[in-house]
Amino acid sequence: MRRKLLRRSFLLIVIFFPVIACSTNKSNGAGELDLEEMISKMAEIRAILDTATVGNTDGTYPQAAYDELEAAYDELVLGVSKAKAGMLYLQYEVDTYVLNAEKAIEAFLISLQEILDPGTPAELCVFGTDSKGYIDFGESPEFGAGQQWTVESWIKYDAGFLEAAMGDFISTFNATADNFHEGWTINFMGTGLRTTIGMGPAPGRVFEWSGNYPTNFGEWNHIAAVWDASAGSTGQLRMYLNGNLFWERDNDIISGGVVQEYVPPTLDFRMYAFQRPTNKEACMTGYIKKFRKWNAVKSQSEIQALMNGDVDGTESGLVCAWDFTEMPDDESAIPDKTGKHSASIEGSHKWFEIK
């Protein structure tokens, strides 16, 4: 059923009407603010809201997504009103309203529902930006344990996938109340694809390195992080990209003359994707498939074989494995291939059928 919206209250119309008459405004002598883009986005959102079909079936938009877009419209109205009242001083403030409106429009349009039957081949996108969605893999000391391990997965992302200062792809990382860092995270920071691990026994220490991540947006990349405390004096922390060595780093974290060691989680055993379990602001948006954690060091040749192969869950050293390549029976209880763990997809996400 096509949803028709009632007009806003008389007060809102009074506020909105003079805005349309003029697209620029002097703000307390700080110069002209160009409001044309804001007004254009208001009209665009209004048109979408007036024609959107809300429901729970194929080809409809979820009510929650509709409500979020409506809130974005209200925020734009408020922003224009502030600008006209001289409460905005910089064009940057106006541009921020426009950027947020563009994000809201994109988020709404992509929420168009495509109801898939369990078992349908599909790709999973989790909208973790702004802390909206994540994958909860549950709690287990195995997720962060060991002085020799490998984490590998396929990842795909689009432009704008990272809008926070830092975004965790897969993470067990946390900080204790007394400032000890524990666990590991594969994350993005600026132009860097990083592995970060907590170190001790000194408080506040981490070991991390990064390389410029590829901007082949819309394409899959295979990434693997390897920690090998027994590697001797070189290359304890390594990262591979599409089967090739991306970077390696010697353990140079020393405190008081003592070489620090990786500290597995002791208090928080959760593992998430697209958000950090203990810091929802470390978030990002992207696709994931064939994620695995091993309690062994994988060589480059083994990683190359894994990236092009499958696992059945019985492999030696396999801690957990999820494929995320087809619509599950229950998104809140997705068993891993070892049979020991269960994942839940929380918040904003979407499965895209592979035609």
PDB file of all heavy atoms in Angstrom, residues 114 116 121 352-355:
ATOM      1  N   GLU A 114      14.500  -7.584   0.180  1.00  0.00           N
ATOM      2  CA  GLU A 114      14.571  -8.690  -0.759  1.00  0.00           C
ATOM      3  C   GLU A 114      14.509  -9.952   0.091  1.00  0.00           C
ATOM      4  O   GLU A 114      15.499 -10.352   0.694  1.00  0.00           O
ATOM      5  CB  GLU A 114      15.869  -8.618  -1.561  1.00  0.00           C
ATOM      6  CG  GLU A 114      16.009  -9.671  -2.630  1.00  0.00           C
ATOM      7  CD  GLU A 114      17.322  -9.541  -3.386  1.00  0.00           C
ATOM      8  OE1 GLU A 114      18.181  -8.760  -2.962  1.00  0.00           O
ATOM      9  OE2 GLU A 114      17.472 -10.242  -4.397  1.00  0.00           O
ATOM     10  N   LEU A 116      14.706 -13.567   0.999  1.00  0.00           N
ATOM     11  CA  LEU A 116      15.361 -14.731   0.426  1.00  0.00           C
ATOM     12  C   LEU A 116      15.031 -15.985   1.229  1.00  0.00           C
ATOM     13  O   LEU A 116      14.938 -15.932   2.458  1.00  0.00           O
ATOM     14  CB  LEU A 116      16.875 -14.530   0.398  1.00  0.00           C
ATOM     15  CG  LEU A 116      17.402 -13.291  -0.334  1.00  0.00           C
ATOM     16  CD1 LEU A 116      18.932 -13.268  -0.271  1.00  0.00           C
ATOM     17  CD2 LEU A 116      16.928 -13.255  -1.772  1.00  0.00           C
ATOM     18  N   PRO A 121      22.001 -18.657  -2.404  1.00  0.00           N
ATOM     19  CA  PRO A 121      23.332 -18.042  -2.477  1.00  0.00           C
ATOM     20  C   PRO A 121      23.233 -16.525  -2.393  1.00  0.00           C
ATOM     21  O   PRO A 121      22.442 -15.906  -3.107  1.00  0.00           O
ATOM     22  CB  PRO A 121      23.853 -18.501  -3.843  1.00  0.00           C
ATOM     23  CG  PRO A 121      23.102 -19.760  -4.142  1.00  0.00           C
ATOM     24  CD  PRO A 121      21.728 -19.537  -3.555  1.00  0.00           C
ATOM     25  N   PHE A 352      22.356  -9.877  -0.200  1.00  0.00           N
ATOM     26  CA  PHE A 352      22.113  -9.625  -1.611  1.00  0.00           C
ATOM     27  C   PHE A 352      22.214 -10.939  -2.379  1.00  0.00           C
ATOM     28  O   PHE A 352      23.270 -11.590  -2.376  1.00  0.00           O
ATOM     29  CB  PHE A 352      23.147  -8.626  -2.162  1.00  0.00           C
ATOM     30  CG  PHE A 352      23.008  -7.236  -1.598  1.00  0.00           C
ATOM     31  CD1 PHE A 352      23.654  -6.889  -0.415  1.00  0.00           C
ATOM     32  CD2 PHE A 352      22.231  -6.287  -2.242  1.00  0.00           C
ATOM     33  CE1 PHE A 352      23.537  -5.614   0.107  1.00  0.00           C
ATOM     34  CE2 PHE A 352      22.109  -5.002  -1.718  1.00  0.00           C
ATOM     35  CZ  PHE A 352      22.750  -4.669  -0.546  1.00  0.00           C
ATOM     36  N   GLU A 353      21.122 -11.325  -3.015  1.00  0.00           N
ATOM     37  CA  GLU A 353      21.105 -12.597  -3.741  1.00  0.00           C
ATOM     38  C   GLU A 353      22.130 -12.575  -4.861  1.00  0.00           C
ATOM     39  O   GLU A 353      22.279 -11.604  -5.596  1.00  0.00           O
ATOM     40  CB  GLU A 353      19.723 -12.855  -4.314  1.00  0.00           C
ATOM     41  CG  GLU A 353      19.622 -14.198  -5.038  1.00  0.00           C
ATOM     42  CD  GLU A 353      18.223 -14.493  -5.559  1.00  0.00           C
ATOM     43  OE1 GLU A 353      17.342 -13.613  -5.432  1.00  0.00           O
ATOM     44  OE2 GLU A 353      18.035 -15.591  -6.108  1.00  0.00           O
ATOM     45  N   ILE A 354      22.853 -13.687  -4.983  1.00  0.00           N
ATOM     46  CA  ILE A 354      23.780 -13.869  -6.100  1.00  0.00           C
ATOM     47  C   ILE A 354      22.993 -14.459  -7.238  1.00  0.00           C
ATOM     48  O   ILE A 354      22.571 -15.623  -7.172  1.00  0.00           O
ATOM     49  CB  ILE A 354      24.963 -14.780  -5.701  1.00  0.00           C
ATOM     50  CG1 ILE A 354      25.730 -14.162  -4.526  1.00  0.00           C
ATOM     51  CG2 ILE A 354      25.884 -15.019  -6.892  1.00  0.00           C
ATOM     52  CD1 ILE A 354      26.823 -15.066  -3.988  1.00  0.00           C
ATOM     53  N   LYS A 355      22.750 -13.681  -8.256  1.00  0.00           N
ATOM     54  CA  LYS A 355      21.898 -14.119  -9.362  1.00  0.00           C
ATOM     55  C   LYS A 355      22.628 -15.157 -10.201  1.00  0.00           C
ATOM     56  O   LYS A 355      23.803 -15.012 -10.484  1.00  0.00           O
ATOM     57  CB  LYS A 355      21.493 -12.918 -10.232  1.00  0.00           C
ATOM     58  CG  LYS A 355      20.794 -11.820  -9.470  1.00  0.00           C
ATOM     59  CD  LYS A 355      19.435 -12.250  -8.947  1.00  0.00           C
ATOM     60  CE  LYS A 355      18.685 -11.080  -8.306  1.00  0.00           C
ATOM     61  NZ  LYS A 355      17.368 -11.484  -7.784  1.00  0.00           N
TER      62      LYS A 355
END
